[in-house]
Amino acid sequence: MSLVVQKFGGTSVGDADRIRAVADHVARTKRGGRDVVVVVSAMGKTTDDLIRLSKDVSDTQPPREMDMLLTSGERISMALLCMALSDLGVPALSFTGSQAGIITDTDHTKAKILEIKPDRLVEAIAAGIVPVVAGFQGVSTSRDITTLGRGGSDTTAVALAATLGADVCEIYTDVSGVFTADPRVVPSAHKIPQISFEEMLELAASGGRVLALRSVEFARNFHVPLHVRSSFTWEPGTWVKEEDSTMEQPVVSAISHDTSEAKVTVRHVPDQPGVAARIFTAVAAAGVNVDMIVQNTSVEGYTDISFTVPRTDLSHSLEAASRIADEVGAKQVLADDKIGRVSLVGAGMKSHPGVTAKMFGTLAKEGINIEMISTSAIRISCVVRQEMVEPAVVALHTAFEL
Ligand code: ADP
Ligand code: ASP
Ligand code: MG
């Protein structure tokens, strides 16, 4: 029988009515003759509320305990959804990440899935039961409960779809698909019917939070088609799949933005082999993923190095960078948490010169200063002041006629 994994985000299970609506949809899918595995997020803003509570209680927030706390949100939704399914006569069983066999590394709050042992899910499916799995969590190789980072329920869903050989992974959310820009920022943005894994990866990596980056990596690596759609209208959404090479690629498909990063600048660094390696080795050892890096031209043997990191990792990054700055005799380490990033993504830009010039020209016309630039074959990103991010997205969406 065909198998579908259906993932429901926080808003989709935000209250009792929403949970009953989701149960109804799952029941219809099951009665339509397909096996279903469900993955749920925590209800509404539960995860944010728990994080706030932890800050009220503690200054240190040990990562192991944060994971124990945050995974409780998804437990609530999975149990409630199973109850609603039971009322509809659909046999369902809830499973924590650990019970579902999701084994991760030991990197608390941003653990990576190492392996999935889905025996219990496979048994349940064979018995005609709908397994409802708590998203965003697993159990580490040292038997502690872990979480997969914010938005991690998407990753749970796609990883399970890959392991169980599902035909499709449906991601139900509060918008009707992947749009040409965040529809909350650009009301005229429109839904993209189909997008390639490569473009979706760039979008997810540059802030388009509709899908978690790791989930898209899993989907691409294991060839799992994704269908991003609304749990409010249930209309067909956006298909994320292998590139259709027979079609002409749009030059720019979408614009994304990200205001979750901060910039670290190490000033007056001796411009010698090995110095950058030391700085970034220390930052990596602190468990921080560095994103953009810019090094200035050296003047009289000294240079400045700037890089961006998730704002939540800013203090760890500063500690690590300052330690090495002292050792190598750099002058100063500066932090800037008022930055934002705006990016253009499009598979067609590979073969169309002039996209960068048009992007910079559009930002200039709006009086928006570019502080850092990074590119890939199909993406151009600019760091700007945080308050200029939204005007930049709107101006670019108009300029590229999306
Ligand atoms: P969920 O809780 O269902 O996982 P998220 O809040 O994580 O939902 O993701 C959905 C949100 O992503 C939308 O409400 C929208 O504001 C935002 N978003 C950002 N960029 C895009 C985009 N390009 N297309 C659609 N939604 C986007
Ligand atoms: N509840 C988690 C979060 O808010 C995971 C998820 O929703 O995907 O980040
Ligand atoms: Mg999400």
Side-chain angles (χ1 to χ4, degrees):
M1 210 188 302
S2 75
L3 173 72
V4 52
V5 173
Q6 298 186 326
K7 178 259 171 177
F8 296 92
T11 324
S12 304
V13 293
D15 59 29
D17 287 342
R18 297 295 317 150
I19 291 176
R20 279 196 295 267
V22 165
D24 188 57
H25 184 73
V26 172
R28 278 169 205 269
T29 311
K30 180 77 181 149
R31 292 200 176 111
R34 301 170 85 187
D35 284 329
V36 192
V37 172
V38 178
V39 173
V40 283
S41 290
M43 292 172 70
K45 299 267 169 243
T46 303
T47 308
D48 292 330
D49 293 343
L50 291 171
I51 291 173
R52 214 170 300 121
L53 185 59
S54 72
K55 287 185 180 152
D56 289 346
V57 168
S58 155
D59 290 331
T60 52
Q61 300 155 26
R64 180 186 181 279
E65 306 313 324
M66 278 309 282
D67 279 352
M68 196 58 98
L69 177 72
L70 296 190
T71 51
S72 65
E74 270 69 12
R75 278 189 177 224
I76 296 174
S77 347
M78 70 173 184
L80 291 173
L81 181 58
C82 284
M83 293 179 196
L85 283 167
S86 158
D87 282 13
L88 297 175
V90 177
L93 284 178
S94 60
F95 295 93
T96 61
S98 162
Q99 288 174 312
I102 297 173
I103 318 291
T104 73
D105 63 17
T106 55
D107 196 3
H108 282 289
T109 75
K110 48 188 163 197
K112 289 209 165 64
I113 298 177
L114 299 176
E115 190 189 354
I116 299 186
K117 297 180 177 164
D119 314 11
R120 294 195 67 181
L121 304 185
V122 172
E123 272 168 37
I125 297 166
I129 292 165
V130 175
V132 178
V133 180
F136 162 67
Q137 56 179 271
V139 61
S140 76
T141 44
S142 39
R143 289 178 294 163
D144 281 315
I145 298 299
T146 49
T147 63
L148 309 178
R150 296 307 304 269
S153 297
D154 297 337
T155 311
T156 305
V158 182
L160 286 178
T163 306
L164 297 167
D167 308 297
V168 53
C169 181
E170 296 181 336
I171 306 282
Y172 289 91
T173 182
D174 55 6
V175 286
S176 60
V178 179
F179 280 63
T180 48
D182 186 339
R184 287 177 211 284
V185 175
V186 184
S188 62
H190 61 86
K191 184 165 76 188
I192 304 169
Q194 185 177 324
I195 188 167
S196 65
F197 286 131
E198 269 59 37
E199 285 178 306
M200 194 63 229
L201 270 178
E202 293 283 5
L203 268 185
S206 58
R209 93 195 136 103
V210 65
L211 283 174
L213 176 60
R214 293 275 300 150
S215 75
V216 189
E217 286 173 347
F218 263 106
R220 182 195 53 182
N221 295 348
F222 295 94
H223 312 284
V224 182
L226 306 180
H227 188 185
V228 181
R229 50 193 301 199
S230 161
S231 69
F232 290 79
T233 63
W234 310 103
E235 68 195 280
T238 300
W239 283 89
V240 187
K241 44 176 149 174
E242 244 95 53
E243 189 173 311
D244 184 348
S245 55
T246 57
M247 273 172 46
E248 175 118 21
Q249 300 296 332
V251 179
V252 174
S253 297
I255 296 166
S256 58
H257 70 280
D258 186 358
T259 50
S260 67
E261 294 196 319
K263 180 169 78 173
V264 176
T265 302
V266 188
R267 285 211 43 236
H268 205 69
V269 183
D271 193 9
Q272 290 157 6
V275 172
R278 282 178 69 182
I279 295 173
F280 290 105
T281 304
V283 174
V288 178
N289 271 326
V290 171
D291 188 12
M292 288 190 196
I293 302 174
V294 171
Q295 177 172 336
N296 284 346
T297 334
S298 111
V299 179
E300 290 165 7
Y302 289 91
T303 183
D304 293 346
I305 298 178
S306 294
F307 54 95
T308 63
V309 295
R311 198 174 319 123
T312 45
D313 287 333
L314 181 58
S315 58
H316 290 131
S317 312
L318 283 175
E319 264 166 44
S322 303
R323 191 162 25 85
I324 305 300
D326 282 347
E327 288 174 21
V328 301
K331 243 187 201 154
Q332 206 179 14
V333 180
L334 303 169
D336 180 352
D337 62 1
K338 294 284 182 294
I339 60 157
R341 165 151 77 135
V342 50
S343 308
L344 295 186
V345 174
M349 72 173 68
K350 284 185 271 211
S351 48
H352 284 76
V355 179
T356 313
K358 185 165 172 180
M359 180 183 195
F360 295 174
T362 306
L363 295 178
K365 221 184 288 163
E366 297 295 313
I368 299 171
N369 188 41
I370 301 170
E371 301 181 20
M372 288 168 100
I373 300 161
S374 90
T375 60
S376 80
I378 63 166
R379 177 188 47 79
I380 310 167
S381 299
C382 295
V383 167
V384 299
R385 281 296 91 200
Q386 207 168 80
E387 71 272 13
M388 298 319 282
V389 165
E390 294 202 1
V393 174
V394 172
L396 291 168
H397 198 268
T398 308
F400 284 91
E401 296 170 22
L402 291 179

